Amino acid sequence: MLLNQPLKQKLLELLSPEQVLTDELDLKFYSYDSSFHAKLNRFFPEAVVFPRSTQEVSAVMRLAYEHNISVTPRGAGTGETCGCVAVQGGIIMDLSPWDTIEEVDVANMQVFVRPGVVHANLNTHLEKYGLFFPPDPGSSRMCTVGGMVSNNSSGLRAVKYGTTEQYILGLEVVLPNGDVIITGGQNSRAIKNVSGMNLTKLFVGAEGTLGVITKIRLRVWPKPKGRGLAMAVFDNLEEAPQAVLDVYRGGILPSGIEILDDSAIKAINMYKPEINLPNAEAILLFEVDGNPAGVEWEGQQIKEIVSRRAIKVEWATEPERIKSLWQGRSVVATAAARIRPDGSRIFAGEDISVPLNKVTECLRRIKKMAKEYGVAVVNYGHIGDGNVHTAPVINLDNQAEVEQVKKLTDAIHRLAIELGGATTGEHGVGAVRACYATAEHGEALKVMHRIKHTLDPTGIMNPGKLLPPEGDDYSA
């Protein structure tokens, strides 16, 4: 591998000086993401580059391939699993400045973007056409569409609108050897396409381990005209998941269904007392969107159905009241740290997914495990699709607490597998969950390794992510 100075010189032959960083202070900003793992460790790259064209990405990849240098694609760095940090050194390719919305093809309901476009900015741009890109991650104002594709992100409204992969019609990808391919048809603008192998889905959710995504063809939808929100309060946690199933059985598919348990309610009221959520074991939020008449009908149906189990239900369609009811959910991630004065919320074990009929058991067992390990936690999440968010709160200066929370988050990941779920529902695997791949995927993991070897034979593409080292057995 080239050392720092020779590497810098080679990169400057391909890019302008402002597109290459190698100073230690600059590299420090790229040594972490939002994860707990990155708080405990620092992973310094040898260089950071800012390509602004497919040709520049291809040139850097050819250099890296020739000299066996690792390359880690990066968007806004909002990830929580060390997916965008250079755990094995090498080059970080920062794609966040490459934020061009190239074309909105209104007639064909699709948009072409470069990977650095911020999710919220894209939807602001699409509003003028009456369109929107439905996946709705909590980091909408920061995260990039390229990062969303790499992690197959979703968010609050996945119940109705699903995950990012459902909206990817095609990709331009630079392979590890610098070759460029277009998936989904070279000149296609079709929405339906079953021609050839579905290479698009191979790259979505691959977390940058198979190539660099340089252009994205996204399907977009008409923006709904109506929206309403129901808040239901429960004095028994077990009733909340049952109420969700009752709504589904009633033939209604809300756009989002969120849960706050008593720990989250307490944290929110400590953080912003003016929100004044009622004391209860759980609160559910049902959001409905569509045409205004349909929204009103579905909202009234939800109110009637959920009232059979809840002690209080409120339905609202006025924008200000909806905003007020959503406020608690929107601040819970920040509010979590308030449950102990000397604590910090960490992002670890925060994203498991379990079957809908296991949500109650999951929440109960996480609370029990947290008590056993002596770690304070706040629980909330997207109950409509079984995605549970746990926020451990610890004193990071206390090494004993750090070790206990490691044990707790390992137990949470293993609980997800035991309950028939997954260690991550939307935040990705990165460097922190690859150790569970054998237990999750079994023999299918061998096929994943073969695909990786085929596209990345020298192993330079975001190494140390998504898959455990071949031959390592973490199943115990």
Side-chain angles (χ1 to χ4, degrees), residues 155-188:
L156 300 174
R157 296 176 178 88
V159 173
K160 179 176 180 179
Y161 294 111
T163 62
T164 298
E165 69 174 333
Q166 293 167 236
Y167 300 88
I168 311 302
L169 297 172
L171 297 170
E172 179 186 81
V173 182
V174 179
L175 299 176
N177 65 359
D179 289 350
V180 181
I181 64 169
I182 296 173
T183 70
Q186 292 195 78
N187 301 305
S188 177

Side-chain angles (χ1 to χ4, degrees), residues 11 67 79 222 279 320 326 345 383 385 407 422 427-428 445:
L11 289 170
H67 295 282
N279 291 322
E320 284 304 312
W326 260 125
R345 186 257 170 98
I383 189 174
D385 53 23
K407 294 175 183 175
H427 294 170
L445 185 60

Side-chain angles (χ1 to χ4, degrees), residues 242-358:
Q242 290 303 316
V244 173
L245 295 176
D246 290 346
V247 169
Y248 287 154
R249 291 182 185 120
I252 298 171
L253 184 64
S255 53
I257 311 175
E258 295 292 299
I259 186 171
L260 303 168
D261 80 352
D262 55 351
S263 65
I265 294 168
K266 177 183 176 183
I268 292 165
N269 285 336
M270 291 177 69
Y271 179 59
K272 283 188 176 288
E274 66 272 21
I275 294 177
N276 194 27
L277 292 175
N279 291 322
E281 274 223 319
I283 288 177
L284 292 183
L285 297 165
F286 295 84
E287 186 191 78
V288 179
D289 67 5
N291 71 74
V295 166
E296 182 60 34
W297 185 85
E298 289 192 338
Q300 293 298 337
Q301 289 293 305
I302 289 173
K303 184 176 180 180
E304 179 184 333
I305 292 169
V306 176
S307 292
R308 299 167 195 160
R309 298 182 182 272
I311 58 175
K312 179 184 177 185
V313 182
E314 178 181 351
W315 164 248
T317 54
E318 303 81 14
E320 284 304 312
R321 187 55 186 155
I322 291 174
K323 184 178 179 182
S324 174
L325 293 175
W326 260 125
Q327 194 177 7
R329 174 61 183 88
S330 65
V331 303
V332 64
T334 304
R338 292 300 180 97
I339 60 172
R340 55 176 290 187
D342 61 343
S344 297
R345 186 257 170 98
I346 63 160
F347 289 90
E350 84 294 345
D351 178 37
I352 64 170
S353 179
V354 298
L356 294 178
N357 65 354
K358 299 290 186 181

